[in-house]
Amino acid sequence: MVTNDLFPPQALPPDPAHVAQLRRLLHEHAHLYYVQDTPTIPDAEYDRLFQELQAIEAQHPELVAPDSPTQRVGGRALDQFASVRHAVPMLSIRTETDTDASGAQNFDARVRRELGLDESAPAVEYVAEPKFDGLAMNLRYENGVLVQAATRGDGEAGEDVTQNVRTIGQIPLRLPKDVPPILEVRGEVYMRRDDFERLNEQQRERGQKSFVNPRNAAAGAVRQLDPAIAAQRPLSFFAYGLGEVTPEQTGGPAFGTHYELLQALKIWGFPVSALVGIAQGAPELVAYYDLIGQQRDPLPFDIDGVVYKVNSLALQRRMGFVTREPRWAVAHKFPAQEQLTTVLGIDVQVGRTGKLTPVAKLVPVFVGGVTVTNATLHNEDEARRKDVRVGDTVIVRRAGDVIPEVVSVLLDKRPPGATEFTMLRQCPVCASAAVREDGEVDYRCTGGLFCSAQRKQAILHFAQRRAVEVEGLGEKLVDQLVDGNVIRILPDLYRLGLTSLASLDRMAAKSAQNILQALEKSKQTTLPRFLFGLGIRHVGEATAKELARHFGSLDAIMDASLEQLLQVSDVGPTVAQSLRTFFDQPHNREVVDQLRACGVTWQEGPPAPVTPTPLTGKTFVLTGTLPTMSRDEAKDQIEAAGGKVAGSVSKKTTFVVAGVEAGSKLTKAQELGVAVLDEAGLKELLNDRA
Ligand code: IVH
């Protein structure tokens, strides 16, 4: 651009229509991004629009409006929150802790009694919703602009947390034109499990305290006095009701049912859970309770039960309240995901790679649907931070598919004389030195395959279904084989004879025969399975496949230089180094040679041309929660196969992979006629390459 110094560009007064247009666009795209999960413009374009508006507002502060998208983060740290009196009290719900079908049946019976319905009267219609485990929030909009966000508090008055709630992308700052002039939306602010895990990981890395559970993390973020910190805590929102609303007589909405009201909230731009449903009578409430109960673990967020609400608003009014609880609703709880128990001891376990993990041994406790007897303490730092000691009363949590965890200790219940945990400096199994390398959080046993714990794990890893698969070779048998010195190195597996097997405890001749057959069968394998089975650090299934495809033969992999390894699409410096370290050790090569000498074989091919891989040119979009793969795993595997993973669905998308709670991306795929896969379908595509 040529500028003329004599005539510097004049700062023209901004065109108000342009400013309004910018805000409108930003609101629209924020909704598409945060609520619909289907962005239609690239992030960079959003940022550009945002910065343009920010620049105009910086020049012309008089144009800054509270609903401007630039106002999500801002404001100074507070000393305390102002108190807010709720225009309509925020009620609580009666809780039903009976986790059987009778919990739902009793509620329906009570409703029918209170409505004076006899047995011949038709079923009562309910809306059934998840009970989100976060904190209740009242969002007040005046003329479509968010003016206040308040916590529930004691139900009569809460705290003004507007500054923090503005930072939640899913909460609209401005609503469409046709909303009632006064509109209070109620719902739950919560933190997704993946956001929670990430936040805690970050906290641990920074040496800061981790949060006990997503609910506490969400509550802490909402009650954070510094909005800049709150803005860094990823929060989400589901709307489930209304507070004060312009009355029907003065132009307010006239909803007949709770369900209609939820649909309106969705249209106005609020996230409403896709799991909300209508249920006729007790049998459908029970079915809903069971269905959501089954989906609880794979959901991306915590729920602690379901909520049943009489659908008809007229019937709701007829039923009214008892002591701050509506008679038309109940919260039907699921089994708790947190329980108290006692620490019996702290063991140190040795993993396949020699990693030492402190594990709390617990008095068995039923939590999150399973009986828990062990809970990982991750590593020395974490164990010390939580300061778990033998004899302590602790809170154990098991949520989703996450392994059980000790979340905190009840210090006032600590028995006198309980001593602090210290990590062993020796492997508890083979007594080799345990070392913690610089910058690492874990101690590792230096014994390698000399360590029977590592040998056991190595054998189980090799024999597992996803590796060479030796059917029937389980933990008990491997324990016996290794402890009895029958197997010292992996190839000894194939040297087992009927006599050595049948002489083991409880090993009937018949099952000995079966194991030998299974071993025989396992000899016919594939290169990726064999390579994965070797248990090389950082070489998972996907990497093994990629290596096999790239190099074609095991010898080529064993002899590949670091540079050559780095050419493989799925291989970075850590993986490459790990492979080199493994194959540089003569005894590892010896193991491979002996396995081959024992008859383990696979087909080898020529090295693959560098491109294209089977998924090259294919674009995937992931939505919802898959039954067994995490989103990162799915993404890694697709990318390792040459595919791309995009954030939003368009005509260019080849496949949408949909799991539980798949939202608008799935709808969009169906609209555009894009092929939809489930996890099994994805795996099939991925396995086609093996
Ligand atoms: S309705 C009058 N619906 O549970 C009914 N509440 O004690 C008002 N909650 O603090 C609440 N999920 O934070 C309702 N789908 C849902 C809910 C829900 C979670 C929370 C809410 C409230 C508590 C009820």
Side-chain angles (χ1 to χ4, degrees):
M1 190 173 83
V2 183
T3 54
N4 184 331
D5 284 338
L6 290 175
F7 299 98
Q10 275 286 292
L12 292 172
D15 173 5
H18 178 62
V19 176
Q21 159 86 346
L22 273 176
R23 287 196 185 133
R24 201 182 50 69
L25 276 173
L26 286 165
H27 280 304
E28 189 181 312
H29 289 295
H31 176 73
L32 287 168
Y33 182 87
Y34 289 110
V35 182
Q36 304 276 59
D37 217 3
T38 45
T40 57
I41 56 170
D43 293 359
E45 176 61 11
Y46 182 87
D47 294 345
R48 198 192 60 71
L49 294 171
F50 191 89
Q51 281 155 10
E52 185 182 344
L53 180 60
Q54 248 179 346
I56 297 175
E57 288 179 346
Q59 291 274 315
H60 300 275
E62 73 281 3
L63 291 175
V64 179
D67 67 329
S68 173
T70 57
Q71 300 304 297
R72 283 206 186 266
V73 192
R76 284 180 295 119
L78 304 171
D79 297 326
Q80 61 175 72
F81 296 111
S83 171
V84 176
R85 184 146 290 278
H86 298 301
V88 176
M90 289 181 81
L91 302 169
S92 59
I93 321 181
R94 224 183 82 91
T95 310
E96 177 58 78
T97 48
D98 169 357
T99 57
D100 288 330
S102 43
Q105 287 154 352
N106 291 342
F107 169 65
D108 179 58
R110 211 161 45 237
V111 168
R112 294 183 70 88
R113 202 167 48 243
E114 277 156 15
L115 289 173
L117 301 175
D118 62 21
E119 269 161 41
S120 62
V124 174
E125 183 170 276
Y126 298 98
V127 171
E129 306 172 6
K131 185 170 190 303
F132 311 106
D133 203 4
L135 65 155
M137 191 65 61
N138 187 66
L139 306 173
R140 185 176 175 89
Y141 292 84
E142 291 178 3
N143 301 314
V145 175
L146 176 67
V147 294
Q148 187 176 68
T151 60
R152 176 169 179 275
D154 62 4
E156 295 291 336
E159 289 178 316
D160 182 339
V161 289
T162 316
Q163 286 208 97
N164 294 341
V165 168
R166 277 181 181 292
T167 66
I168 304 176
Q170 284 194 327
I171 292 183
L173 298 178
R174 171 202 287 221
L175 303 177
K177 283 218 164 49
D178 57 344
V179 302
I182 301 287
L183 175 68
E184 289 185 358
V185 173
R186 289 181 177 174
E188 201 84 349
V189 170
Y190 67 96
M191 192 177 284
R192 289 172 55 102
R193 287 182 186 144
D194 51 359
D195 286 334
F196 168 73
E197 299 294 338
R198 255 195 300 275
L199 175 64
N200 262 358
E201 221 161 275
Q202 214 178 64
Q203 293 287 106
R204 278 194 284 263
E205 274 167 17
R206 295 181 184 164
Q208 286 167 346
K209 210 172 150 282
S210 52
F211 296 95
V212 166
N213 55 36
R215 175 168 32 85
N216 284 22
V222 164
R223 301 201 64 257
Q224 177 55 246
L225 289 164
D226 183 350
I229 298 180
Q232 290 163 13
R233 306 273 164 86
L235 295 174
S236 301
F237 182 75
F238 276 127
Y240 53 62
L242 297 176
E244 190 188 4
V245 187
T246 309
E248 201 184 322
Q249 300 84 326
T250 49
F255 299 120
T257 63
H258 179 67
Y259 196 76
E260 279 170 30
L261 172 170
L262 292 179
Q263 299 315 305
L265 286 173
K266 206 188 290 184
I267 291 166
W268 291 336
F270 294 92
V272 173
S273 169
L275 299 174
V276 170
I278 289 186
Q280 313 289 344
E284 291 191 13
L285 292 181
V286 174
Y288 184 81
Y289 182 80
D290 291 343
L291 179 75
I292 301 296
Q294 282 163 23
Q295 296 185 14
R296 183 189 193 190
D297 273 4
L299 280 182
F301 47 84
D302 279 4
I303 58 176
D304 56 347
V306 295
V307 179
Y308 311 133
K309 300 172 182 174
V310 169
N311 193 16
S312 155
L313 298 184
L315 290 186
Q316 284 190 6
R317 281 189 288 270
R318 231 172 89 189
M319 295 184 73
F321 308 89
V322 261
T323 63
R324 330 202 43 72
E325 289 172 352
R327 297 210 288 198
W328 44 263
V330 79
H332 193 187
K333 299 275 254 184
F334 288 138
Q337 288 178 320
E338 287 180 8
Q339 289 290 357
L340 287 181
T341 188
T342 312
V343 178
L344 294 171
I346 299 177
D347 279 6
V348 174
Q349 290 180 353
V350 189
R352 181 170 53 78
T353 57
K355 179 183 159 191
L356 303 191
T357 307
V359 175
K361 300 276 150 188
L362 308 167
V363 171
V365 60
F366 190 70
V367 46
V370 298
T371 300
V372 172
T373 51
N374 292 325
T376 177
L377 297 173
H378 298 287
N379 55 52
E380 180 182 40
D381 293 355
E382 188 68 7
R384 283 179 164 249
R385 204 167 8 242
K386 285 183 180 154
D387 193 16
V388 179
R389 303 184 186 191
V390 178
D392 271 344
T393 301
V394 293
I395 298 174
V396 177
R397 170 180 159 87
R398 181 194 171 268
D401 306 319
V402 183
I403 38 178
E405 263 209 307
V406 169
V407 289
S408 61
V409 175
L410 273 63
L411 286 179
D412 52 347
K413 297 218 166 150
R414 173 166 287 167
T419 52
E420 210 180 335
F421 168 75
T422 45
M423 194 65 179
L424 302 173
R425 298 295 191 269
Q426 270 193 338
C427 171
V429 175
C430 72
S432 299
V435 295
R436 176 175 172 175
E437 272 158 33
D438 278 354
E440 294 259 324
V441 288
D442 296 313
Y443 277 86
R444 277 175 201 283
C445 162
T446 53
L449 289 181
F450 168 74
C451 175
S452 67
Q454 289 176 63
R455 228 179 310 150
K456 285 177 187 174
Q457 301 286 336
I459 294 166
L460 285 168
H461 180 80
F462 185 76
Q464 68 174 299
R465 194 177 44 80
R466 285 149 50 217
V468 305
E469 183 169 30
V470 184
E471 226 180 297
L473 189 71
E475 220 166 296
K476 287 227 170 64
L477 183 54
V478 170
D479 280 353
Q480 291 184 35
L481 291 169
V482 172
D483 292 341
N485 259 334
V486 182
I487 292 188
R488 258 177 282 260
I489 53 171
L490 212 45
D492 290 342
L493 255 186
Y494 293 104
R495 301 185 182 115
L496 287 173
L498 264 188
T499 32
S500 59
L501 267 176
S503 66
L504 295 170
D505 286 356
R506 278 177 298 158
M507 175 56 90
K510 174 82 178 106
S511 34
Q513 192 68 54
N514 288 343
I515 292 285
L516 289 181
Q517 263 170 20
L519 278 164
E520 208 43 48
K521 191 169 154 211
S522 73
K523 287 182 183 172
Q524 286 297 327
T525 187
T526 66
L527 179 52
R529 281 168 171 270
F530 181 80
L531 193 56
F532 168 64
L534 290 177
I536 304 165
R537 234 179 128 194
H538 306 300
V539 178
E541 270 179 291
T543 307
K545 277 183 192 161
E546 199 49 32
L547 285 163
R549 197 190 59 78
H550 185 96
F551 290 102
S553 72
L554 184 63
D555 290 314
I557 298 170
M558 293 203 293
D559 295 336
S561 66
L562 271 183
E563 292 68 38
Q564 287 168 327
L565 288 167
L566 284 168
Q567 281 175 5
V568 182
S569 64
D570 198 25
V571 173
T574 321
V575 182
Q577 188 52 59
S578 172
L579 279 157
R580 273 285 27 103
T581 309
F582 187 89
F583 288 118
D584 282 344
Q585 310 231 14
H587 68 255
N588 286 334
R589 284 187 179 246
E590 179 64 26
V591 164
V592 169
D593 288 345
Q594 288 191 25
L595 284 169
R596 285 202 273 206
C598 289
V600 179
T601 60
W602 54 85
Q603 291 219 319
E604 299 204 326
V610 177
T611 49
T613 37
L615 301 189
T616 301
K618 299 199 165 47
T619 304
F620 292 73
V621 172
L622 303 169
T623 175
T625 311
L626 301 178
T628 71
M629 288 169 127
S630 73
R631 205 170 261 232
D632 285 344
E633 274 164 4
K635 184 165 184 280
D636 285 352
Q637 297 199 17
I638 290 169
E639 286 173 353
K644 270 205 303 206
V645 176
S648 59
V649 181
S650 72
K651 278 198 209 113
K652 291 190 201 134
T653 312
T654 328
F655 294 110
V656 166
V657 183
V660 178
E661 274 268 308
S664 50
K665 289 183 191 171
L666 181 56
T667 324
K668 182 88 181 276
Q670 283 153 351
E671 279 166 19
L672 293 177
V674 172
V676 177
L677 297 174
D678 58 4
E679 186 186 277
L682 172 63
K683 284 191 169 160
E684 220 164 277
L685 272 188
L686 290 165
N687 286 334
D688 275 353
R689 320 175 302 120

